[in-house]
Amino acid sequence: MRDLTRRSLLTAGSSEHHISSAVVLALPERREEVSSRLVTMEGVEVHASEGSRIVITIEGPSRGKLGEALTSISVMDGVLAANMVFEHAEGRETRA
């Protein structure tokens, strides 16, 4: 059964889809561990990593969901910072 939350009530019927890119700064010795955890998160995809940086995208039905994911990432063990670089929203009917 789907949880009923205030956010789901406010965004019900939303026809938008949001995507953002972000850079996650991790302790260099824990970068692989952090990357492994990131790929298990819903809507998160890891695109590249080097040194202490991990480049990701986050997709979801609302700006709030993207923010929630970024907040969750920023408090992970081994993460020093998580910063959104770009955000885009489009109507579902315009997506191919």
Side-chain angles (χ1 to χ4, degrees):
M1 180 177 202
R2 186 173 171 210
D3 292 334
L4 185 61
T5 65
R6 181 175 179 264
R7 181 169 307 285
S8 67
L9 286 172
L10 293 173
T11 60
S14 173
S15 63
E16 287 191 330
H17 182 77
H18 295 257
I19 184 167
S20 70
S21 60
V23 176
V24 178
L25 184 62
L27 294 169
E29 64 274 11
R30 299 192 63 190
R31 186 192 79 222
E32 290 300 320
E33 173 193 340
V34 170
S35 290
S36 295
R37 281 186 279 152
L38 291 171
V39 298
T40 66
M41 294 180 68
E42 184 178 347
V44 175
E45 188 174 334
V46 174
H47 295 278
S49 65
E50 184 178 330
S52 61
R53 292 180 184 89
I54 306 166
V55 177
I56 64 171
T57 53
I58 307 169
E59 293 188 53
S62 68
R63 176 177 285 151
K65 284 293 184 189
L66 272 55
E68 288 174 10
L70 196 61
T71 299
S72 295
I73 293 166
S74 68
V75 297
M76 282 182 175
D77 286 339
V79 172
L80 301 172
N83 298 298
M84 189 176 293
V85 177
F86 177 80
E87 181 184 353
H88 175 75
E90 61 183 43
R92 289 189 189 275
E93 63 279 352
T94 61
R95 289 191 351 197

